[in-house]
Amino acid sequence: MSSEQTPATPETAGPRPRRLTYAAALAALEGLALVAGGVWMLVEGLVGDPDDRPSAVTGGVTLIVLALLPLLAARGLLARRSWSRGPAVITQIMALPVAYNLLRADSVAIPAGIALAVVAVAALILLINPATTQALGIRGPGRAQDGKQ
């Protein structure tokens, strides 16, 4: 049976918790920001006057490909797929060092670093929340499928 045909379990029955929807929205926002940044770098690398054209094009393509992780995670979170929490958490953990580096810059990147840090921390809090975990049907360590140990 594919994941699309998996019947709803008691944990995933009922309306989607707002925390899960907010976490999906934040992951999607990060994915869209990566796509926008990647497209900007790619266009700048192709038609602009970058210092290093191949690096600009490679960076743009890389950002667009990296955007797939949070976008797929957001889609999975909205569909209440338990696998989607892992990629969403990984995205947030990867965003924290990027935010730190942006905060250390002496430029207009500082507000972007603040925004990224706030989004990453908020998304992590939403993703590890017990209500989110339960809504995704994720059981804690040592808990068997039928609730027996």
Side-chain angles (χ1 to χ4, degrees), residues 46-111:
L46 292 173
V47 299
D49 188 26
D51 294 334
D52 185 8
R53 186 173 312 273
S55 293
V57 170
T58 302
V61 170
T62 301
L63 284 180
I64 292 169
V65 170
L66 283 175
L68 293 175
L69 184 66
L71 290 173
L72 289 173
R75 184 172 185 256
L77 289 171
L78 287 175
R80 298 171 88 169
R81 304 287 181 241
S82 61
W83 61 263
S84 62
R85 190 174 81 153
V89 168
I90 289 169
T91 299
Q92 307 319 315
I93 291 171
M94 288 174 25
L96 291 173
V98 174
Y100 178 75
N101 284 329
L102 290 172
L103 289 171
R104 295 198 44 172
D106 189 24
S107 67
V108 295
I110 293 173

Side-chain angles (χ1 to χ4, degrees), residues 17-27 123 126:
R18 278 189 283 167
R19 289 181 178 116
L20 185 57
T21 304
Y22 296 155
L26 291 175
L126 291 168

Side-chain angles (χ1 to χ4, degrees), residues 9-11 137-140 142-149:
T9 61
E11 295 88 5
I138 299 172
R139 291 170 173 69
R143 294 190 180 143
Q145 290 292 86
D146 61 357
K148 299 176 187 174
Q149 290 189 348

Side-chain angles (χ1 to χ4, degrees), residues 32-49:
L32 292 174
L34 282 170
V35 168
V39 168
W40 179 79
M41 281 182 73
L42 188 60
V43 169
E44 188 68 27
L46 292 173
V47 299
D49 188 26

